[in-house]
Amino acid sequence: TMVQELDLDPKGTRRLPTNPSDVLVQAFMGVDVKSGQERLFVEATGPWHRVTWLETSMMQVIYESFFRRRMRERYGEEDEHWYAKWLADAFVRGARSVLAAGESKMRGIIMTGRRTGGLALMLLQGMFIHSNLKDAAGKSLSLGTSSVTAHYWLKDAGV
């Protein structure tokens, strides 16, 4: 288990994990020093080598929730209706980037993470870039993806 303790304290009273080798996730409301607005904070505390891997996953879940809410408002539709439209648009933007990178002879990596439109997009982009971003000899110029999950799923699929 990545998280041994979960603390949902709206007042934001911070503490350390009960066991120093465990990971504690805390969610609380607090004032953002940059904006001055009250915001939701989610923090993980514990050994660095365990917390650093957890951070991106937590941020992806939080971003995904906000992303889906914003898209429902933008499109005025539920996920099963707007996601395909958004995914098509995102895929076209990615294809344009592949064309530009190919013309420049640059190698490329998909930097995914907390601000991605979900695993489906990460996998589709990975497959598309690997098969379409090539040098004159037909060798892929793709350096892969920063998503560990997408990397292993694509590897298992033979991409």
Side-chain angles (χ1 to χ4, degrees), residues 120-137:
L121 178 61
M122 287 189 265
L123 295 171
L124 287 170
Q125 284 179 327
M127 290 185 292
F128 182 81
I129 289 172
H130 183 73
S131 64
N132 289 285
L133 182 59
K134 298 186 181 274
D135 64 14

Side-chain angles (χ1 to χ4, degrees), residues 4 6 9 13 16 28 46 58 74 83 85 101 122 131 137 140:
Q4 287 69 47
L6 177 64
D9 181 359
T13 306
L16 295 175
F28 56 91
M58 285 185 352
R74 178 186 295 171
Y83 188 75
K85 297 172 192 173
M122 287 189 265
S131 64
S140 179

Side-chain angles (χ1 to χ4, degrees), residues 38-99:
E38 189 171 64
R39 301 209 176 210
L40 171 66
F41 288 84
V42 180
E43 294 183 354
T45 306
W48 175 86
H49 67 279
R50 297 184 62 213
V51 172
T52 190
W53 292 103
L54 179 62
E55 177 188 24
T56 298
S57 298
M58 285 185 352
M59 293 173 97
Q60 284 173 324
V61 168
I62 292 167
Y63 173 77
E64 179 89 7
S65 300
F66 287 124
F67 167 74
R68 289 185 179 276
R69 179 177 165 211
R70 190 172 62 243
M71 292 299 112
R72 287 179 196 126
E73 291 171 356
R74 178 186 295 171
Y75 287 95
E77 300 173 319
E78 290 301 312
D79 296 1
E80 64 267 17
H81 300 292
W82 67 260
Y83 188 75
K85 297 172 192 173
W86 177 87
L87 188 61
D89 185 54
F91 199 69
V92 167
R93 288 193 312 270
R96 287 182 185 144
S97 295
V98 167
L99 287 174

